[in-house]
Amino acid sequence: MSRTTRTVLAPRVFALADDLSGAAEVAAALGLRGRIVLGPATAPPRDGESVVLDLDTRQSAPQDAASAVRAALAYADGGVVLKKIDSLLRGNLAAEAAAYATGARGVVIAPALPVAGRTVREGVVNLHGTALHTTDAWRAERGAAPESVGAALGGVPTRVVPLATVRAPALYDRLRALVAEGYHPVCDAETDTDLDAISEAALQLGPGIRLMGTGGLAAALGRRLARADGGGSGAPGIDGHRHPMEANPDRSTEPVRDRSTPADLDRPSRTDAAGPAGPARADDVSPALGGTPSRPLLVVVGTAEPTAVAQIAQLVAAGAHHVSLPAHTLTDRSTLPPLNIRTEGGRTPDGVTVVSIDGTHAVHPGAARSLAAGLAHAVAEAAQDSDLVLTGGETARRVLDALGIRELLPLDQIHHGAVRSRTADGRHVVTRPGSYGATDSLLRIALALRPGLAPPSDQAPSGQPVVPPVPPAPLGEPT
C-alpha cells in the first residue's frame, strides 16, 4: 500500500519524557497548543490539547521508571503517543522502552537529533560522525555507552531500517511489515528530512502505533500535524493560536499583537531611561519585555559539561554575579545557608545571578540526584520571586519542585533546547539540557529575558568574541 493514499487528521499529542528539560524540548519542538506537566499525571489531556509529561525518571531505579511509564499510558486515550528519549541514550531506556511497547501494535523508533550533530547510521548513534560508544559523552554515567540503539533497548525486539530504506518510497511498507512480524523498527536518520519521512510513514500505520525518539522526531511530528491542521506562521501563543511574540507576558489570557519583532526583543538596549546612553550591566538592567518586571534573574547551572565554564564566563563578562558552591556543601545541606540574591553584594532586584557547582574536584557519577537536590535547596529562597534559567533536567525539576510549580506553558525557543515557558504566577522559566548550547548559550538566554543586558565589550574574559544573540526560534523550529 502506498504511504500517500491515507489521510491522517491532526489529533492531540500525549508525550512522555524522563526529565524536565527534555519535556520542554519536546513541547517546543511540537509547537502545538498544550502544557508541560510535572508528573505524575492525574488526569487525561483536555479535548484538543497536547500534553508533555515529565516523568522525572532519569535517575530512578529501572523498575520504578517502568512503573511510571505504565501509569502514564493509562491517560493516553487516543491521539498520537510519543516517548521522548535522550539523544545520547542515557537514562532507564531499556526498562522504559519495554513498558512503553507493552500494549502497542508497534513502536517506531528514531533517536537522531541532526540539529545537535547526533545521527543514526546502521542502528548506531553517532555524535558529530563518531560512534557514541567511542566518545566520552557518557563520562558522567555509571556505565559505558551502548554500542547500538538495539543494545540500549535491551530485550525489546527491534530491527534496523537502514538509511536507504528511510529515503525510499518503500519506507511505509517496510515499517508495516516489521510491525506485522512483531518487531519495533529502529530507523536510521541523518537529516530533518529523514525524520519527516519517518514521522509521515509512522502516522500512516494507523491506530496502536507509538513513536519513540528525540526532540528531532518531535519536531518532525509537529511539522506533519501543523500541515494537516492548515499550518500557520509565528510562534504559538498560550491559547494555541499563532501571534507575534507577546509584548506583555503578564497577560496570560489575552495575546497582545505587538509590532516589534523577536529580533527587537533580543537586541541589547543602547539607552536607559534612568541614565546616559550605553549598554546596561547585569546588575543594573531595566525590566525586560521577555521577562517579569522587578524580578531578579537567577541562572542555576546544574551540569558537569565542560562547556558550562565558558558559558558562565560570558555571562559574568556581561556583569552577572557568579556564586560557585562546593559540591560537598550541597550534599551536606546543614553547612550551606540559603542563598539571598536580593542582598548579597548589593545586587538590585532586577540583577542577574548565576549559581553553579564548583568543578574543582571531580563529581562522582552516582551523585547527580543528591547534588541537584542540594543545589535546589540552596537556591530555593532566592528562586521564590525570580525569573529562572535552569540547565540540566534534574536540576530544573528539583528547583521547580521546591517552588511547588506543577505546570509550565511553553512560549518559544531562544536557541535549540533552551525553551522559555511561563508559570501560572507570570514568571518566566527557561530550561535547557545540560549538554546543549555553545559557549554563548547562557548569554543569549539572558539577553532574551533581559534585553538591556550587554557585555562591556565584544570580548569575553577568555579573549574569544562574544557572539551576538539571534532572535528566539518559534516553537517547533530549532536553530
Side-chain angles (χ1 to χ4, degrees):
M1 180 183 295
S2 169
R3 59 190 174 107
T4 62
T5 60
R6 300 175 63 94
T7 300
V8 181
L9 298 179
R12 67 171 180 253
V13 176
F14 186 62
L16 310 177
D18 70 350
D19 74 354
L20 182 54
S21 60
E25 180 189 359
V26 166
L30 286 170
L32 303 175
R33 175 183 175 229
R35 298 170 291 142
I36 303 166
V37 176
L38 281 62
T42 57
R46 306 179 189 110
D47 289 343
E49 178 190 52
S50 294
V51 167
V52 183
L53 177 65
D54 171 29
L55 298 174
D56 191 27
T57 54
R58 176 67 65 87
Q59 302 294 334
S60 297
Q63 64 272 22
D64 294 337
S67 294
V69 170
R70 285 191 292 268
L73 287 172
Y75 296 100
D77 55 343
V80 179
V81 183
L82 169 69
K83 175 69 175 72
K84 193 272 181 186
I85 62 174
D86 181 63
S87 60
L88 298 178
L89 306 180
R90 296 171 298 188
N92 290 296
L93 191 50
E96 293 189 10
Y100 185 67
T102 301
R105 214 177 102 227
V107 178
V108 176
I109 305 160
L113 186 61
V115 72
R118 298 166 190 187
T119 58
V120 179
R121 172 77 80 150
E122 297 180 354
V124 175
V125 171
N126 288 268
L127 185 56
H128 300 292
T130 302
L132 172 64
H133 63 279
T134 65
T135 72
D136 66 347
W138 272 49
R139 60 188 171 276
E141 304 301 311
R142 290 186 175 93
E147 296 187 2
S148 67
V149 178
L153 296 174
V156 175
T158 62
R159 286 291 183 273
V160 173
V161 179
L163 196 60
T165 303
V166 168
R167 295 175 175 175
L171 174 60
Y172 168 80
D173 292 326
R174 182 56 178 158
L175 295 183
R176 185 181 60 164
L178 287 175
V179 168
E181 294 168 8
Y183 295 110
H184 304 290
V186 173
C187 299
D188 283 357
E190 293 183 336
T191 68
D192 287 339
T193 301
D194 297 334
L195 293 173
D196 286 338
I198 294 164
S199 173
E200 175 77 19
L203 287 178
Q204 292 185 16
L205 290 173
I209 298 298
R210 296 171 183 167
L211 303 179
M212 177 181 287
T214 66
L217 182 62
L221 176 61
R223 290 189 291 269
R224 174 62 178 83
L225 297 182
R227 289 196 303 272
D229 199 32
S233 61
I238 290 303
D239 60 355
H241 301 292
R242 295 179 178 266
H243 321 282
M245 186 174 292
E246 295 170 287
N248 185 349
D250 289 323
R251 297 176 67 181
S252 60
T253 60
E254 180 182 351
V256 177
R257 296 189 178 275
D258 181 26
R259 293 182 181 274
S260 66
T261 67
D264 295 327
L265 296 184
D266 266 349
R267 190 174 295 116
S269 173
R270 295 293 169 181
T271 61
D272 188 322
R281 296 280 291 174
D283 54 356
D284 187 27
V285 296
S286 301
L289 292 176
T292 308
S294 301
R295 279 184 170 145
L297 177 60
L298 178 62
V299 182
V300 184
V301 180
T303 176
E305 293 294 321
T307 53
V309 174
Q311 291 171 356
I312 292 170
Q314 288 210 11
L315 197 53
V316 171
H321 177 51
H322 182 207
V323 179
S324 181
L325 302 176
H328 74 272
T329 66
L330 299 177
T331 54
D332 181 9
R333 300 180 193 178
S334 63
T335 65
L336 184 66
L339 181 69
N340 185 349
I341 63 174
R342 280 196 174 274
T343 58
E344 183 173 347
R347 316 314 288 181
T348 58
D350 55 3
V352 180
T353 300
V354 55
V355 180
S356 67
I357 301 173
D358 186 345
T360 303
H361 303 289
V363 175
H364 189 276
R369 173 152 282 199
S370 61
L371 284 174
L375 190 58
H377 173 77
V379 304
E381 181 176 317
Q384 288 290 340
D385 57 356
S386 299
D387 287 332
L388 301 170
V389 178
L390 308 172
T391 76
E394 184 75 19
T395 298
R397 178 60 189 257
R398 300 286 79 79
V399 171
L400 296 187
D401 280 349
L403 298 177
I405 295 172
R406 309 306 305 165
E407 289 188 3
L408 295 172
L409 300 175
L411 296 174
D412 59 18
Q413 277 194 117
I414 296 167
H415 66 68
H416 175 65
V419 180
R420 171 168 35 191
S421 300
R422 191 165 66 226
T423 64
D425 64 1
R427 79 176 76 191
H428 280 226
V429 176
V430 176
T431 56
R432 196 208 71 191
S435 61
Y436 283 19
T439 56
D440 67 332
S441 171
L442 294 180
L443 181 60
R444 288 173 64 181
I445 293 168
L447 283 167
L449 294 174
R450 298 292 186 269
L453 170 64
S457 69
D458 62 355
Q459 296 292 315
S462 62
Q464 296 297 318
V466 175
V467 181
V470 298
L475 290 181
E477 297 295 333
T479 58

